[in-house]
């Protein structure tokens, strides 16, 4: 489609036409894809993250695609700023129908070496950031007696894995908070969903895979971000309680929790194999190594 035609495209009457959607972490990865998908369905999308230039680029894309976007630079750990941002969304769109909590931070390290301040940083974004956004939108949704909140946790929020112990604990916390909120909001018209992705090909995963223990995992093994986009849109559309990416991962997790000792042993062996494979791959990549062999 030519740029001129794209510019002239009117509002799209898709499934989420005219819905007011807030997406945190919209400047990158999953949040970026989710925000664009809502925009392409004709939604009014508020984009929250710290990198304003990226948000403005995405806002232009969404407006061209027939949606309506509002770029709001917002650090989700700054509670007052989050509440102000939601006020700005109400002023611009009149209400908030859907909140997607995608902002997240991952710092990988074995628990033994993890710096407490890194865990605090992750807690601030992954748990308190999500809490801030939920508490800011809930009065609006309560008044409307409807709404949908989708929190993106992780399969690492159901089973601790190394070297993601700190990250896992923040995602466990988010799961607990989300489940409790779902009970509190039972029968209020407000739906609360969890999306639980495995490894997804985004800057976060690519960065994490640089860690020594994960170097054997290729980014090619990661699932495409659009799988999570579909899961989030389905969760928001149908008020689904929990969606795993890939589907069925919960079954493996439930089986694993029946035999925790065996699961620990399998994961420990798996981690060692990956570390070994990573070391081999690194060695193979070095010219001096190749010359010797
Ligand atoms: N990728 C995976 O394998 C995977 C797997 C399971 C779960 N998840 C979860 O999926 C969500 C999205 O991750 P991703 O893979 O898309 O990561 P990503 O590409 O690194 O994106 C992270 C997003 O979070 C935002 N963010 C970080 N700190 C923030 C803060 N203080 N305030 C506001 N925004 C902040 C970043 O924006 P700015 O830097 O511009 O602020 C960015 O938009 C996260 O919650 C992550 O834990 C990811």
């Amino acid at each position: 489609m030519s740029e001129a035609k794209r510019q002239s495209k009117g509002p799209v009457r898709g499934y989420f036409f005219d819905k007011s959607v807030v997406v945190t972490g919209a400047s990158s990865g999953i949040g970026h894809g989710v925000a664009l998908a809502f925009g392409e369905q004709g939604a009014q999308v508020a984009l929250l993250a710290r990198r304003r230039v990226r948000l403005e680029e995405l806002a232009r894309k969404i407006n061209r695609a027939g949606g309506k976007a509002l770029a709001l630079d917002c650090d989700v750990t700054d509670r007052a700023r989050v509440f102000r941002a939601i006020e700005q969304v109400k002023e611009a769109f009149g209400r908030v129908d859907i909140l997607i909590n995608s902002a997240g931070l991952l710092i990988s390290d074995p628990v033994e070496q993890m710096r407490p301040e890194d865990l605090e940083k992750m807690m601030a974004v992954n748990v308190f950031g999500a809490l801030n956004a939920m508490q800011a939108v809930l009065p609006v949704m309560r008044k409307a007696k409807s709404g949908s909140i989708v929190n993106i946790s992780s399969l690492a929020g159901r089973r601790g894995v190394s070297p993601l112990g700190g990250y896992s604990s923040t995602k466990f916390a988010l799961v607990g908070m989300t489940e409790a909120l779902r009970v509190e909001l039972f029968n209020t018209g407000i739906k609360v969903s969890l999306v639980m992705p495995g490894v997804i090909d985004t800057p976060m995963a690519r960065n994490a895979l640089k860690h020594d223990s994960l170097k054997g995992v290729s980014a090619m093994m990661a699932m495409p971000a659009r799988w999570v986009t579909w899961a989030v849109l389905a969760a928001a559309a149908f008020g689904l309680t929990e969606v795993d990416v890939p589907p069925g991962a919960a079954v493996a997790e439930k089986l694993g929790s029946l035999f925790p000792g065996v699961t620990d042993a399998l994961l420990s062996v798996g981690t060692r194999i990956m570390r070994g494979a990573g070391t081999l791959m690194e060695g193979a990549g070095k010219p001096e190594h190749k010359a010797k062999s």
Side-chain angles (χ1 to χ4, degrees), residues 72-93:
L72 295 170
D73 49 316
C74 171
D75 183 332
V76 292
T77 67
D78 180 345
R79 187 172 166 83
R81 174 66 191 117
V82 174
F83 275 70
R84 271 205 317 280
I86 297 306
E87 283 304 316
Q88 288 175 276
V89 177
K90 280 192 314 187
E91 274 164 32
F93 301 155

Side-chain angles (χ1 to χ4, degrees), residues 25-30 49-51 74-77 102-104 125 152-154 167 171 197-200 202-205:
S27 62
S28 170
I30 292 168
R50 292 163 304 176
R51 286 170 288 177
C74 171
D75 183 332
V76 292
T77 67
S102 187
V125 181
I152 302 184
S153 178
S154 168
Y167 175 75
K171 292 298 184 178
V199 184
I200 308 297
T202 68
M204 175 185 280

